[in-house]
Amino acid sequence: IVKNVLKILGSPPYTTVDWQEQNSSLFQWMKLEKLVIFLVISMIMVVAAFNIVSSLIMMIEVKRREIGILMSMGLDQKGVMRIFLINGTLAGLIGSSAGILLGLGLCAIQLHWHLIPLPGDIYFIDHLPVKILPVDIAAVFVVTNVICFFMSLIPAWKASKMLPAESMRYE
């Protein structure tokens, strides 16, 4: 529309500004805010992954004898590592799936009942708008599970390096 108006009116004495140009700083700020929110959520996911690591390390300490028995029966280091990688990754999958379902549920509630109001005299809208983007959901899901997988490598590696005789000695 801007180009058509300029053609009709003539460009030297007149200028046009569309709503995106007029509010360009607002849109740049919103893009930056989206990136910052994603980084904050990623940090929260890292903290959750540390919880998974600590629970796996505690499980290794509690199941030290059982790991030693499995290794003495012929389970190799890769098998022990695989067990704990699957355990940590599964915990991440369950947690990220539950978090995404909870988040989608809260978004649906906000879309339907507008529980978070905004002052209409300051903003052009009277409630917090919610837009569900599958790309954002997929990004959060993938990043969460990649973090959980890599964080599970630490305790899995520790468990795989245990010696069968050492792990059963003190039991």
mmCIF file of all heavy atoms in Angstrom, residues 102-152:
data_model
loop_
_atom_site.group_PDB
_atom_site.id
_atom_site.type_symbol
_atom_site.label_atom_id
_atom_site.label_comp_id
_atom_site.label_asym_id
_atom_site.label_seq_id
_atom_site.Cartn_x
_atom_site.Cartn_y
_atom_site.Cartn_z
ATOM 1 N N LEU A 102 2.118 -29.028 29.960
ATOM 2 C CA LEU A 102 1.662 -28.049 30.944
ATOM 3 C C LEU A 102 1.664 -26.636 30.354
ATOM 4 O O LEU A 102 0.709 -25.876 30.525
ATOM 5 C CB LEU A 102 2.544 -28.105 32.193
ATOM 6 C CG LEU A 102 2.182 -27.152 33.326
ATOM 7 C CD1 LEU A 102 0.826 -27.510 33.909
ATOM 8 C CD2 LEU A 102 3.247 -27.188 34.398
ATOM 9 N N GLY A 103 2.728 -26.298 29.623
ATOM 10 C CA GLY A 103 2.806 -24.985 28.986
ATOM 11 C C GLY A 103 1.719 -24.777 27.952
ATOM 12 O O GLY A 103 1.097 -23.705 27.886
ATOM 13 N N LEU A 104 1.456 -25.799 27.137
ATOM 14 C CA LEU A 104 0.383 -25.687 26.148
ATOM 15 C C LEU A 104 -0.974 -25.562 26.818
ATOM 16 O O LEU A 104 -1.845 -24.816 26.351
ATOM 17 C CB LEU A 104 0.405 -26.896 25.205
ATOM 18 C CG LEU A 104 1.546 -26.941 24.196
ATOM 19 C CD1 LEU A 104 1.539 -28.263 23.442
ATOM 20 C CD2 LEU A 104 1.455 -25.777 23.231
ATOM 21 N N GLY A 105 -1.151 -26.272 27.935
ATOM 22 C CA GLY A 105 -2.400 -26.147 28.679
ATOM 23 C C GLY A 105 -2.597 -24.748 29.232
ATOM 24 O O GLY A 105 -3.693 -24.174 29.148
ATOM 25 N N LEU A 106 -1.525 -24.174 29.788
ATOM 26 C CA LEU A 106 -1.618 -22.803 30.307
ATOM 27 C C LEU A 106 -1.867 -21.797 29.183
ATOM 28 O O LEU A 106 -2.617 -20.826 29.364
ATOM 29 C CB LEU A 106 -0.350 -22.446 31.081
ATOM 30 C CG LEU A 106 -0.149 -23.172 32.408
ATOM 31 C CD1 LEU A 106 1.216 -22.852 32.989
ATOM 32 C CD2 LEU A 106 -1.247 -22.816 33.388
ATOM 33 N N CYS A 107 -1.258 -22.014 28.029
ATOM 34 C CA CYS A 107 -1.504 -21.130 26.882
ATOM 35 C C CYS A 107 -2.964 -21.236 26.429
ATOM 36 O O CYS A 107 -3.593 -20.214 26.103
ATOM 37 C CB CYS A 107 -0.578 -21.484 25.724
ATOM 38 S SG CYS A 107 1.124 -20.979 25.973
ATOM 39 N N ALA A 108 -3.496 -22.459 26.409
ATOM 40 C CA ALA A 108 -4.899 -22.643 26.015
ATOM 41 C C ALA A 108 -5.834 -21.943 27.001
ATOM 42 O O ALA A 108 -6.823 -21.323 26.596
ATOM 43 C CB ALA A 108 -5.225 -24.132 25.922
ATOM 44 N N ILE A 109 -5.516 -22.026 28.285
ATOM 45 C CA ILE A 109 -6.330 -21.338 29.299
ATOM 46 C C ILE A 109 -6.282 -19.829 29.083
ATOM 47 O O ILE A 109 -7.311 -19.150 29.131
ATOM 48 C CB ILE A 109 -5.857 -21.728 30.713
ATOM 49 C CG1 ILE A 109 -6.221 -23.174 31.012
ATOM 50 C CG2 ILE A 109 -6.437 -20.785 31.765
ATOM 51 C CD1 ILE A 109 -5.607 -23.728 32.269
ATOM 52 N N GLN A 110 -5.087 -19.297 28.812
ATOM 53 C CA GLN A 110 -4.957 -17.858 28.575
ATOM 54 C C GLN A 110 -5.703 -17.438 27.303
ATOM 55 O O GLN A 110 -6.341 -16.395 27.276
ATOM 56 C CB GLN A 110 -3.490 -17.450 28.492
ATOM 57 C CG GLN A 110 -3.248 -16.006 28.140
ATOM 58 C CD GLN A 110 -3.812 -15.015 29.151
ATOM 59 O OE1 GLN A 110 -4.062 -15.336 30.294
ATOM 60 N NE2 GLN A 110 -4.023 -13.797 28.697
ATOM 61 N N LEU A 111 -5.623 -18.254 26.268
ATOM 62 C CA LEU A 111 -6.328 -17.933 25.019
ATOM 63 C C LEU A 111 -7.838 -17.901 25.218
ATOM 64 O O LEU A 111 -8.530 -17.072 24.642
ATOM 65 C CB LEU A 111 -5.973 -18.950 23.931
ATOM 66 C CG LEU A 111 -4.638 -18.776 23.236
ATOM 67 C CD1 LEU A 111 -4.324 -19.986 22.359
ATOM 68 C CD2 LEU A 111 -4.634 -17.512 22.399
ATOM 69 N N HIS A 112 -8.336 -18.805 26.029
ATOM 70 C CA HIS A 112 -9.786 -18.922 26.194
ATOM 71 C C HIS A 112 -10.347 -17.962 27.237
ATOM 72 O O HIS A 112 -11.361 -17.305 27.006
ATOM 73 C CB HIS A 112 -10.143 -20.371 26.546
ATOM 74 C CG HIS A 112 -11.607 -20.637 26.520
ATOM 75 N ND1 HIS A 112 -12.395 -20.540 27.634
ATOM 76 C CD2 HIS A 112 -12.426 -20.969 25.493
ATOM 77 C CE1 HIS A 112 -13.642 -20.819 27.317
ATOM 78 N NE2 HIS A 112 -13.682 -21.092 26.016
ATOM 79 N N TRP A 113 -9.705 -17.861 28.406
ATOM 80 C CA TRP A 113 -10.283 -17.094 29.513
ATOM 81 C C TRP A 113 -9.584 -15.760 29.794
ATOM 82 O O TRP A 113 -10.035 -15.004 30.640
ATOM 83 C CB TRP A 113 -10.300 -17.938 30.786
ATOM 84 C CG TRP A 113 -11.363 -18.983 30.756
ATOM 85 C CD1 TRP A 113 -12.709 -18.789 30.821
ATOM 86 C CD2 TRP A 113 -11.177 -20.391 30.657
ATOM 87 N NE1 TRP A 113 -13.360 -19.975 30.761
ATOM 88 C CE2 TRP A 113 -12.451 -21.002 30.657
ATOM 89 C CE3 TRP A 113 -10.057 -21.204 30.550
ATOM 90 C CZ2 TRP A 113 -12.630 -22.361 30.574
ATOM 91 C CZ3 TRP A 113 -10.244 -22.564 30.471
ATOM 92 C CH2 TRP A 113 -11.521 -23.128 30.482
ATOM 93 N N HIS A 114 -8.486 -15.453 29.130
ATOM 94 C CA HIS A 114 -7.776 -14.174 29.310
ATOM 95 C C HIS A 114 -7.513 -13.884 30.790
ATOM 96 O O HIS A 114 -7.901 -12.848 31.315
ATOM 97 C CB HIS A 114 -8.553 -13.017 28.680
ATOM 98 C CG HIS A 114 -8.939 -13.254 27.258
ATOM 99 N ND1 HIS A 114 -8.012 -13.461 26.262
ATOM 100 C CD2 HIS A 114 -10.163 -13.329 26.658
ATOM 101 C CE1 HIS A 114 -8.645 -13.635 25.116
ATOM 102 N NE2 HIS A 114 -9.943 -13.575 25.326
ATOM 103 N N LEU A 115 -6.833 -14.790 31.455
ATOM 104 C CA LEU A 115 -6.581 -14.657 32.892
ATOM 105 C C LEU A 115 -5.541 -13.597 33.233
ATOM 106 O O LEU A 115 -5.503 -13.113 34.351
ATOM 107 C CB LEU A 115 -6.147 -16.004 33.478
ATOM 108 C CG LEU A 115 -7.201 -17.106 33.427
ATOM 109 C CD1 LEU A 115 -6.640 -18.392 34.015
ATOM 110 C CD2 LEU A 115 -8.461 -16.694 34.164
ATOM 111 N N ILE A 116 -4.687 -13.248 32.284
ATOM 112 C CA ILE A 116 -3.658 -12.235 32.536
ATOM 113 C C ILE A 116 -4.087 -10.948 31.827
ATOM 114 O O ILE A 116 -3.904 -10.799 30.619
ATOM 115 C CB ILE A 116 -2.271 -12.701 32.054
ATOM 116 C CG1 ILE A 116 -1.896 -14.016 32.719
ATOM 117 C CG2 ILE A 116 -1.224 -11.627 32.342
ATOM 118 C CD1 ILE A 116 -0.617 -14.635 32.201
ATOM 119 N N PRO A 117 -4.663 -10.015 32.582
ATOM 120 C CA PRO A 117 -5.138 -8.777 31.947
ATOM 121 C C PRO A 117 -4.006 -7.758 31.782
ATOM 122 O O PRO A 117 -3.002 -7.799 32.484
ATOM 123 C CB PRO A 117 -6.185 -8.268 32.929
ATOM 124 C CG PRO A 117 -5.713 -8.770 34.250
ATOM 125 C CD PRO A 117 -5.037 -10.091 33.987
ATOM 126 N N LEU A 118 -4.193 -6.857 30.858
ATOM 127 C CA LEU A 118 -3.292 -5.725 30.638
ATOM 128 C C LEU A 118 -4.128 -4.456 30.696
ATOM 129 O O LEU A 118 -5.292 -4.461 30.298
ATOM 130 C CB LEU A 118 -2.599 -5.822 29.274
ATOM 131 C CG LEU A 118 -1.643 -6.984 29.065
ATOM 132 C CD1 LEU A 118 -1.140 -6.990 27.629
ATOM 133 C CD2 LEU A 118 -0.481 -6.919 30.015
ATOM 134 N N PRO A 119 -3.556 -3.364 31.183
ATOM 135 C CA PRO A 119 -4.324 -2.116 31.203
ATOM 136 C C PRO A 119 -4.607 -1.633 29.776
ATOM 137 O O PRO A 119 -3.682 -1.354 29.012
ATOM 138 C CB PRO A 119 -3.433 -1.134 31.970
ATOM 139 C CG PRO A 119 -2.092 -1.767 32.030
ATOM 140 C CD PRO A 119 -2.253 -3.228 31.801
ATOM 141 N N GLY A 120 -5.881 -1.551 29.418
ATOM 142 C CA GLY A 120 -6.279 -1.173 28.072
ATOM 143 C C GLY A 120 -5.951 0.263 27.710
ATOM 144 O O GLY A 120 -5.803 0.591 26.537
ATOM 145 N N ASP A 121 -5.829 1.140 28.716
ATOM 146 C CA ASP A 121 -5.523 2.542 28.409
ATOM 147 C C ASP A 121 -4.045 2.741 28.058
ATOM 148 O O ASP A 121 -3.684 3.721 27.413
ATOM 149 C CB ASP A 121 -5.927 3.442 29.567
ATOM 150 C CG ASP A 121 -5.302 3.024 30.890
ATOM 151 O OD1 ASP A 121 -4.929 1.846 31.016
ATOM 152 O OD2 ASP A 121 -5.204 3.880 31.792
ATOM 153 N N ILE A 122 -3.186 1.819 28.452
ATOM 154 C CA ILE A 122 -1.759 1.919 28.137
ATOM 155 C C ILE A 122 -1.441 1.150 26.860
ATOM 156 O O ILE A 122 -0.716 1.626 26.000
ATOM 157 C CB ILE A 122 -0.905 1.395 29.313
ATOM 158 C CG1 ILE A 122 -1.128 2.263 30.538
ATOM 159 C CG2 ILE A 122 0.564 1.361 28.929
ATOM 160 C CD1 ILE A 122 -0.439 1.760 31.779
ATOM 161 N N TYR A 123 -1.991 -0.050 26.746
ATOM 162 C CA TYR A 123 -1.735 -0.898 25.586
ATOM 163 C C TYR A 123 -2.955 -0.905 24.674
ATOM 164 O O TYR A 123 -4.036 -0.481 25.055
ATOM 165 C CB TYR A 123 -1.401 -2.329 26.037
ATOM 166 C CG TYR A 123 -0.217 -2.398 26.961
ATOM 167 C CD1 TYR A 123 -0.393 -2.590 28.326
ATOM 168 C CD2 TYR A 123 1.065 -2.268 26.487
ATOM 169 C CE1 TYR A 123 0.692 -2.641 29.186
ATOM 170 C CE2 TYR A 123 2.156 -2.321 27.331
ATOM 171 C CZ TYR A 123 1.956 -2.509 28.686
ATOM 172 O OH TYR A 123 3.027 -2.562 29.515
ATOM 173 N N PHE A 124 -2.780 -1.406 23.476
ATOM 174 C CA PHE A 124 -3.891 -1.479 22.531
ATOM 175 C C PHE A 124 -4.782 -2.683 22.792
ATOM 176 O O PHE A 124 -5.821 -2.820 22.165
ATOM 177 C CB PHE A 124 -3.353 -1.551 21.098
ATOM 178 C CG PHE A 124 -2.557 -0.334 20.704
ATOM 179 C CD1 PHE A 124 -1.205 -0.422 20.458
ATOM 180 C CD2 PHE A 124 -3.177 0.903 20.584
ATOM 181 C CE1 PHE A 124 -0.472 0.692 20.098
ATOM 182 C CE2 PHE A 124 -2.449 2.018 20.228
ATOM 183 C CZ PHE A 124 -1.095 1.920 19.977
ATOM 184 N N ILE A 125 -4.360 -3.547 23.687
ATOM 185 C CA ILE A 125 -5.110 -4.769 23.981
ATOM 186 C C ILE A 125 -5.382 -4.833 25.474
ATOM 187 O O ILE A 125 -4.716 -4.182 26.268
ATOM 188 C CB ILE A 125 -4.327 -6.017 23.520
ATOM 189 C CG1 ILE A 125 -2.896 -5.978 24.056
ATOM 190 C CG2 ILE A 125 -4.326 -6.128 22.016
ATOM 191 C CD1 ILE A 125 -2.077 -7.187 23.716
ATOM 192 N N ASP A 126 -6.355 -5.636 25.868
ATOM 193 C CA ASP A 126 -6.724 -5.694 27.278
ATOM 194 C C ASP A 126 -6.300 -6.985 27.970
ATOM 195 O O ASP A 126 -6.578 -7.186 29.148
ATOM 196 C CB ASP A 126 -8.242 -5.500 27.430
ATOM 197 C CG ASP A 126 -9.036 -6.586 26.745
ATOM 198 O OD1 ASP A 126 -8.460 -7.318 25.924
ATOM 199 O OD2 ASP A 126 -10.241 -6.694 27.028
ATOM 200 N N HIS A 127 -5.639 -7.885 27.253
ATOM 201 C CA HIS A 127 -5.148 -9.129 27.851
ATOM 202 C C HIS A 127 -3.837 -9.534 27.171
ATOM 203 O O HIS A 127 -3.528 -9.072 26.075
ATOM 204 C CB HIS A 127 -6.184 -10.246 27.723
ATOM 205 C CG HIS A 127 -6.486 -10.613 26.307
ATOM 206 N ND1 HIS A 127 -7.366 -9.902 25.519
ATOM 207 C CD2 HIS A 127 -5.993 -11.601 25.518
ATOM 208 C CE1 HIS A 127 -7.416 -10.443 24.314
ATOM 209 N NE2 HIS A 127 -6.584 -11.468 24.285
ATOM 210 N N LEU A 128 -3.085 -10.394 27.843
ATOM 211 C CA LEU A 128 -1.812 -10.867 27.306
ATOM 212 C C LEU A 128 -2.083 -11.811 26.137
ATOM 213 O O LEU A 128 -2.737 -12.836 26.307
ATOM 214 C CB LEU A 128 -1.014 -11.592 28.387
ATOM 215 C CG LEU A 128 0.349 -12.111 27.974
ATOM 216 C CD1 LEU A 128 1.308 -10.950 27.761
ATOM 217 C CD2 LEU A 128 0.895 -13.056 29.009
ATOM 218 N N PRO A 129 -1.604 -11.470 24.951
ATOM 219 C CA PRO A 129 -1.839 -12.367 23.810
ATOM 220 C C PRO A 129 -0.882 -13.559 23.849
ATOM 221 O O PRO A 129 0.236 -13.455 24.333
ATOM 222 C CB PRO A 129 -1.561 -11.477 22.596
ATOM 223 C CG PRO A 129 -0.598 -10.461 23.104
ATOM 224 C CD PRO A 129 -0.933 -10.239 24.560
ATOM 225 N N VAL A 130 -1.355 -14.667 23.357
ATOM 226 C CA VAL A 130 -0.548 -15.887 23.312
ATOM 227 C C VAL A 130 -0.580 -16.408 21.887
ATOM 228 O O VAL A 130 -1.639 -16.538 21.282
ATOM 229 C CB VAL A 130 -1.105 -16.954 24.278
ATOM 230 C CG1 VAL A 130 -0.348 -18.248 24.143
ATOM 231 C CG2 VAL A 130 -1.072 -16.461 25.701
ATOM 232 N N LYS A 131 0.607 -16.680 21.361
ATOM 233 C CA LYS A 131 0.704 -17.277 20.032
ATOM 234 C C LYS A 131 1.566 -18.522 20.160
ATOM 235 O O LYS A 131 2.728 -18.447 20.549
ATOM 236 C CB LYS A 131 1.328 -16.297 19.041
ATOM 237 C CG LYS A 131 1.358 -16.810 17.624
ATOM 238 C CD LYS A 131 1.859 -15.742 16.672
ATOM 239 C CE LYS A 131 1.818 -16.240 15.247
ATOM 240 N NZ LYS A 131 2.332 -15.219 14.328
ATOM 241 N N ILE A 132 0.997 -19.653 19.848
ATOM 242 C CA ILE A 132 1.700 -20.924 19.963
ATOM 243 C C ILE A 132 2.349 -21.233 18.616
ATOM 244 O O ILE A 132 1.669 -21.404 17.615
ATOM 245 C CB ILE A 132 0.729 -22.048 20.377
ATOM 246 C CG1 ILE A 132 0.094 -21.715 21.728
ATOM 247 C CG2 ILE A 132 1.446 -23.381 20.417
ATOM 248 C CD1 ILE A 132 -1.029 -22.640 22.123
ATOM 249 N N LEU A 133 3.680 -21.266 18.622
ATOM 250 C CA LEU A 133 4.437 -21.561 17.406
ATOM 251 C C LEU A 133 5.075 -22.945 17.527
ATOM 252 O O LEU A 133 5.874 -23.185 18.436
ATOM 253 C CB LEU A 133 5.522 -20.511 17.178
ATOM 254 C CG LEU A 133 5.041 -19.081 16.974
ATOM 255 C CD1 LEU A 133 6.226 -18.126 16.917
ATOM 256 C CD2 LEU A 133 4.235 -18.988 15.689
ATOM 257 N N PRO A 134 4.732 -23.855 16.631
ATOM 258 C CA PRO A 134 5.322 -25.197 16.694
ATOM 259 C C PRO A 134 6.848 -25.189 16.642
ATOM 260 O O PRO A 134 7.493 -26.036 17.250
ATOM 261 C CB PRO A 134 4.731 -25.907 15.470
ATOM 262 C CG PRO A 134 3.469 -25.186 15.185
ATOM 263 C CD PRO A 134 3.719 -23.753 15.570
ATOM 264 N N VAL A 135 7.437 -24.229 15.938
ATOM 265 C CA VAL A 135 8.902 -24.150 15.851
ATOM 266 C C VAL A 135 9.492 -23.873 17.234
ATOM 267 O O VAL A 135 10.501 -24.481 17.619
ATOM 268 C CB VAL A 135 9.312 -23.052 14.845
ATOM 269 C CG1 VAL A 135 10.802 -22.827 14.870
ATOM 270 C CG2 VAL A 135 8.847 -23.407 13.455
ATOM 271 N N ASP A 136 8.876 -22.976 18.000
ATOM 272 C CA ASP A 136 9.366 -22.679 19.346
ATOM 273 C C ASP A 136 9.227 -23.888 20.258
ATOM 274 O O ASP A 136 10.123 -24.191 21.050
ATOM 275 C CB ASP A 136 8.603 -21.491 19.939
ATOM 276 C CG ASP A 136 8.933 -20.188 19.237
ATOM 277 O OD1 ASP A 136 9.968 -20.131 18.531
ATOM 278 O OD2 ASP A 136 8.158 -19.227 19.395
ATOM 279 N N ILE A 137 8.102 -24.580 20.160
ATOM 280 C CA ILE A 137 7.884 -25.770 20.977
ATOM 281 C C ILE A 137 8.921 -26.835 20.634
ATOM 282 O O ILE A 137 9.525 -27.447 21.518
ATOM 283 C CB ILE A 137 6.454 -26.298 20.785
ATOM 284 C CG1 ILE A 137 5.447 -25.279 21.318
ATOM 285 C CG2 ILE A 137 6.263 -27.646 21.463
ATOM 286 C CD1 ILE A 137 4.027 -25.567 20.938
ATOM 287 N N ALA A 138 9.150 -27.047 19.350
ATOM 288 C CA ALA A 138 10.136 -28.042 18.921
ATOM 289 C C ALA A 138 11.537 -27.653 19.382
ATOM 290 O O ALA A 138 12.308 -28.514 19.814
ATOM 291 C CB ALA A 138 10.085 -28.198 17.406
ATOM 292 N N ALA A 139 11.873 -26.364 19.298
ATOM 293 C CA ALA A 139 13.207 -25.915 19.722
ATOM 294 C C ALA A 139 13.419 -26.179 21.201
ATOM 295 O O ALA A 139 14.477 -26.689 21.603
ATOM 296 C CB ALA A 139 13.389 -24.431 19.414
ATOM 297 N N VAL A 140 12.432 -25.859 22.017
ATOM 298 C CA VAL A 140 12.553 -26.102 23.461
ATOM 299 C C VAL A 140 12.673 -27.602 23.738
ATOM 300 O O VAL A 140 13.510 -28.026 24.544
ATOM 301 C CB VAL A 140 11.352 -25.490 24.217
ATOM 302 C CG1 VAL A 140 11.309 -25.954 25.656
ATOM 303 C CG2 VAL A 140 11.406 -23.970 24.153
ATOM 304 N N PHE A 141 11.870 -28.410 23.065
ATOM 305 C CA PHE A 141 11.897 -29.855 23.278
ATOM 306 C C PHE A 141 13.249 -30.439 22.885
ATOM 307 O O PHE A 141 13.835 -31.223 23.632
ATOM 308 C CB PHE A 141 10.765 -30.510 22.474
ATOM 309 C CG PHE A 141 10.608 -31.977 22.733
ATOM 310 C CD1 PHE A 141 9.992 -32.425 23.890
ATOM 311 C CD2 PHE A 141 11.079 -32.914 21.832
ATOM 312 C CE1 PHE A 141 9.847 -33.779 24.138
ATOM 313 C CE2 PHE A 141 10.943 -34.260 22.073
ATOM 314 C CZ PHE A 141 10.325 -34.699 23.233
ATOM 315 N N VAL A 142 13.761 -30.041 21.729
ATOM 316 C CA VAL A 142 15.038 -30.580 21.250
ATOM 317 C C VAL A 142 16.182 -30.132 22.150
ATOM 318 O O VAL A 142 17.022 -30.950 22.559
ATOM 319 C CB VAL A 142 15.282 -30.167 19.781
ATOM 320 C CG1 VAL A 142 16.710 -30.446 19.351
ATOM 321 C CG2 VAL A 142 14.306 -30.886 18.871
ATOM 322 N N VAL A 143 16.233 -28.840 22.484
ATOM 323 C CA VAL A 143 17.317 -28.331 23.328
ATOM 324 C C VAL A 143 17.291 -29.013 24.695
ATOM 325 O O VAL A 143 18.330 -29.406 25.231
ATOM 326 C CB VAL A 143 17.243 -26.797 23.457
ATOM 327 C CG1 VAL A 143 18.162 -26.283 24.545
ATOM 328 C CG2 VAL A 143 17.595 -26.146 22.135
ATOM 329 N N THR A 144 16.112 -29.169 25.257
ATOM 330 C CA THR A 144 15.990 -29.828 26.561
ATOM 331 C C THR A 144 16.544 -31.247 26.516
ATOM 332 O O THR A 144 17.328 -31.649 27.381
ATOM 333 C CB THR A 144 14.519 -29.878 27.002
ATOM 334 O OG1 THR A 144 14.008 -28.560 27.067
ATOM 335 C CG2 THR A 144 14.364 -30.541 28.354
ATOM 336 N N ASN A 145 16.159 -31.993 25.511
ATOM 337 C CA ASN A 145 16.586 -33.390 25.455
ATOM 338 C C ASN A 145 18.054 -33.536 25.072
ATOM 339 O O ASN A 145 18.712 -34.467 25.535
ATOM 340 C CB ASN A 145 15.664 -34.165 24.519
ATOM 341 C CG ASN A 145 14.293 -34.310 25.132
ATOM 342 O OD1 ASN A 145 14.158 -34.805 26.239
ATOM 343 N ND2 ASN A 145 13.278 -33.837 24.436
ATOM 344 N N VAL A 146 18.579 -32.633 24.285
ATOM 345 C CA VAL A 146 20.018 -32.663 23.981
ATOM 346 C C VAL A 146 20.821 -32.369 25.243
ATOM 347 O O VAL A 146 21.814 -33.046 25.539
ATOM 348 C CB VAL A 146 20.356 -31.673 22.840
ATOM 349 C CG1 VAL A 146 21.842 -31.438 22.722
ATOM 350 C CG2 VAL A 146 19.797 -32.186 21.520
ATOM 351 N N ILE A 147 20.384 -31.373 26.019
ATOM 352 C CA ILE A 147 21.064 -31.046 27.279
ATOM 353 C C ILE A 147 21.018 -32.241 28.220
ATOM 354 O O ILE A 147 22.035 -32.615 28.825
ATOM 355 C CB ILE A 147 20.446 -29.796 27.931
ATOM 356 C CG1 ILE A 147 20.791 -28.548 27.135
ATOM 357 C CG2 ILE A 147 20.913 -29.645 29.381
ATOM 358 C CD1 ILE A 147 20.045 -27.301 27.579
ATOM 359 N N CYS A 148 19.852 -32.870 28.355
ATOM 360 C CA CYS A 148 19.733 -34.029 29.256
ATOM 361 C C CYS A 148 20.598 -35.188 28.799
ATOM 362 O O CYS A 148 21.218 -35.867 29.628
ATOM 363 C CB CYS A 148 18.275 -34.460 29.357
ATOM 364 S SG CYS A 148 17.262 -33.307 30.290
ATOM 365 N N PHE A 149 20.673 -35.416 27.490
ATOM 366 C CA PHE A 149 21.520 -36.496 26.996
ATOM 367 C C PHE A 149 22.983 -36.240 27.338
ATOM 368 O O PHE A 149 23.671 -37.119 27.863
ATOM 369 C CB PHE A 149 21.347 -36.662 25.477
ATOM 370 C CG PHE A 149 22.294 -37.656 24.884
ATOM 371 C CD1 PHE A 149 22.066 -39.015 25.014
ATOM 372 C CD2 PHE A 149 23.439 -37.240 24.217
ATOM 373 C CE1 PHE A 149 22.951 -39.947 24.481
ATOM 374 C CE2 PHE A 149 24.324 -38.157 23.673
ATOM 375 C CZ PHE A 149 24.077 -39.510 23.810
ATOM 376 N N PHE A 150 23.465 -35.037 27.029
ATOM 377 C CA PHE A 150 24.876 -34.756 27.279
ATOM 378 C C PHE A 150 25.197 -34.709 28.771
ATOM 379 O O PHE A 150 26.289 -35.098 29.186
ATOM 380 C CB PHE A 150 25.313 -33.476 26.572
ATOM 381 C CG PHE A 150 25.527 -33.672 25.106
ATOM 382 C CD1 PHE A 150 24.695 -33.073 24.179
ATOM 383 C CD2 PHE A 150 26.551 -34.486 24.645
ATOM 384 C CE1 PHE A 150 24.888 -33.277 22.827
ATOM 385 C CE2 PHE A 150 26.752 -34.700 23.301
ATOM 386 C CZ PHE A 150 25.910 -34.096 22.378
ATOM 387 N N MET A 151 24.265 -34.247 29.580
ATOM 388 C CA MET A 151 24.501 -34.239 31.028
ATOM 389 C C MET A 151 24.475 -35.660 31.596
ATOM 390 O O MET A 151 25.110 -35.926 32.611
ATOM 391 C CB MET A 151 23.469 -33.357 31.728
ATOM 392 C CG MET A 151 23.591 -31.881 31.391
ATOM 393 S SD MET A 151 25.135 -31.152 31.907
ATOM 394 C CE MET A 151 24.777 -30.834 33.609
ATOM 395 N N SER A 152 23.758 -36.574 30.950
ATOM 396 C CA SER A 152 23.724 -37.966 31.399
ATOM 397 C C SER A 152 25.018 -38.701 31.083
ATOM 398 O O SER A 152 25.281 -39.764 31.654
ATOM 399 C CB SER A 152 22.551 -38.704 30.749
ATOM 400 O OG SER A 152 21.336 -38.132 31.127
#
